[in-house]
Amino acid sequence: MILFLQASDFFSSWKLVKVRAVMCGIFFSLSASEHVLPQEKTVTWLRNRGPDNYCTHLVKLECARRLETPETTPEAIYLTFISTVLALRGDHVTSQPLVDADTWKVCGQAVRGNDTEIVFQKLIEASRYHCDVGESEVGGVDDSVARLTDIISNITGPFSFVFYDGFRRRIFFSRDCLGRRALLHGHDDTGNLKICSVCDGSSPAPFEEVETDGLHMIDLSRISLLNDTPDGSHKVSYQVEVIPWSHKQTGRLLLRNPVSPMNRAVPSTEPPALTLSSICIQKLEHELRRSVETRVQYLPQLGLASPGLGAKIGILFSGGLDCTLLARLTHDIVPKDETVDLINVAFENPRVAAALKARKEKEENEEAISIYESCPDRITGRAGYAELRKVCPDRVWRFIAVDVPYQEFTAHREEVIQLMRPHNTEMDLSIAGALYFASRGQGNVANDDDINDTATYTTTARVLLSGLGADELFAGYGRHGIAFARKGFQGLIDEIDLDVSRLGKRNLGRDDRVISNWGREARFPFLDEEFVSWATQTPVWERCGFGTAQVQVATNNELNHIAETLDSEKKALRLLALKLGMLQTAQEKKRAIQFGSRTAKMESGKSKGTHTI
């Protein structure tokens, strides 16, 4: 048995306690001619993702000739497993991939206390059981797969993994149902299969995101050689079977989807207004607080001399509603003596710089305008930072101003393009570029309140919170309002359902590859399975204000007055921010990261976000 696993924030229903894991870089290859290692650049990226450990395990499988097709049976199959580790839990670093001694006759004793090991042991038990009791008694090969699916169904949290069942010579690989951790698959020029956290180097062969549709399985006993290869190479042919996620309660070969389906109810009359006293706002606070708590507690000190000298938690911070709300809840959970880093990124956009220069020349008396401090996300970021300091004065908030000159962006541009593959549009580059430099966490921190008196600082946080998912679940995009205007609640529900279903393919794999390149782990409180299930089951009119009644409150109360004027987009989240004292944050407008940080249209021309690079 071999397992390597990239995961975080695990829960398991076979234990009513949280078990914690490591995050890692994954590489696996399958060949009929030799062991295939990753390219040098890929090794660098994998080490960046997991700087604490790098391990390789090689397996050669001799193949028995199939009587019916001896000419297409490979003599041997070569399996290559490589994993890197970013240690975030426990008191030791657990090397991956994990190897079961009974299967591979490898000496050594497993280390206890890590959830990768716990999952590994469960998978071993599921695979070994049918061999011990006899296939004919328990339903044959399919029964072992059913046991494996039952184990995976009982896991929640972000993960991707590759697992080799040595008893039956089967490869299993998968991502969690939302796709929060990256995993790609593709072939090199000679037809060898590769499964990896990143695209393998600069190879032109296409890689694709592993779909979040279920558990993927390759039966190595059915692999055949292709005889018509023009170069005479040993290219293999195989089938990938998919065991799908399902909301059905029964079915032998189905994964139980931990995320509930969308509530598609449409109101028969005008829904009541969302207010500070609405029960759904109280429930929202409870669910989101629980999700944040899961992701910010029990982080190791990682060698910091004292809590005040470095941060364990960083927040990708634009000053917008979603990330500031996460910061506010984080304050209530982590000890007050722990610093929280707020990482805010701004770019030198040549088009904007030229416009500011022209404006300065035209208005001679105007003071010089900082290209970075005039950036929309820098303005809202500093405002959000100020409000957090006001509402939570007993916390040290460290505002890290990440200023990215255009020349530096161009120097890293190709690296970002390679990391975000197979995504390849101008919009992908704009978003990935902002996340790349933000997650590096290197910028300036002002001394006291003078933004001109700064010191260079790089965050020590290995965990970065992101507000991704809030717009999709709570109707935060402009297109949600358009969908409601055109087709009412039914159109709004359809648009939200579409957004949530494609998160893994459009956003999360790309973002994970870019952020993890700096040895940091992105965590998404809005994409916790329990939270997503609560949100998708909550009627849409209790998440946003489209189509709800308007209430005029005859009072001079400031909170009620602000509540009346809040935008319909993400109104439930706005009300929660208001309830927690974040009056300015509750009223912030939605702004896409590429426009807020000014990574969009860095160069002149008529390129659009959908254009390929």
Side-chain angles (χ1 to χ4, degrees), residues 7-12 18-21 89 115 155-158 180-181 291 293-297 299 463 465 521-525 528-529:
S8 67
D9 311 320
F10 260 124
F11 283 89
S12 60
K18 184 171 74 171
V19 289
R20 292 193 285 274
R89 296 106 178 137
D115 76 336
I155 300 172
T156 61
R180 289 161 289 183
R181 293 288 169 256
S291 179
E293 184 176 22
T294 301
R295 285 154 180 82
V296 301
Q297 285 191 323
L299 298 179
V463 170
L465 297 186
E521 177 182 278
R523 295 187 179 178
F524 310 99
D528 173 271
E529 285 97 337

Side-chain angles (χ1 to χ4, degrees), residues 345-352 371-372 375-377 402-406 409-410 413 416 425-438 591-604 607-609 613:
V345 64
F347 285 75
E348 177 193 12
N349 187 307
R351 294 186 307 104
V352 177
I371 187 65
Y372 302 113
C375 192
D377 275 4
V402 179
D403 298 338
V404 185
Y406 178 67
F409 172 78
T410 56
R413 184 177 186 273
V416 177
T425 68
E426 291 287 350
M427 181 180 292
D428 286 316
L429 178 59
S430 296
I431 297 172
L435 293 174
Y436 176 87
F437 284 100
R591 185 169 50 243
I593 185 174
Q594 65 269 31
F595 299 112
S597 62
R598 288 182 175 158
T599 55
K601 297 186 177 181
M602 293 284 279
E603 300 172 348
S604 60
S607 64
K608 296 182 178 180
I613 297 170

Side-chain angles (χ1 to χ4, degrees), residues 152-153 155 159 174-178 211-215 242-247 254-258:
I152 296 168
S153 294
I155 300 172
F159 67 79
S174 183
R175 299 164 71 194
D176 67 82
C177 65
L178 292 170
E211 294 286 351
T212 57
D213 53 353
L215 176 64
V242 179
I243 301 165
W245 295 102
S246 174
H247 293 107
L254 292 175
L255 291 169
R256 290 189 296 276
N257 196 323

Side-chain angles (χ1 to χ4, degrees), residues 29 51 63 123 165 172 196 208 240 242 279 311 362 405 413 441 443-444 453 543 550 555:
S29 67
C63 298
L123 294 177
D165 178 355
F172 297 89
C196 192
E208 297 179 352
V240 178
V242 179
I279 295 177
K362 182 178 180 180
R413 184 177 186 273
N444 298 313
D453 181 14
R543 288 179 271 157
Q550 300 298 313
T555 177

Side-chain angles (χ1 to χ4, degrees), residues 396-417:
V396 175
W397 302 97
R398 184 185 288 114
F399 186 88
I400 306 173
V402 179
D403 298 338
V404 185
Y406 178 67
Q407 186 175 1
E408 186 173 14
F409 172 78
T410 56
H412 289 257
R413 184 177 186 273
E414 188 59 32
E415 182 83 352
V416 177
I417 290 174

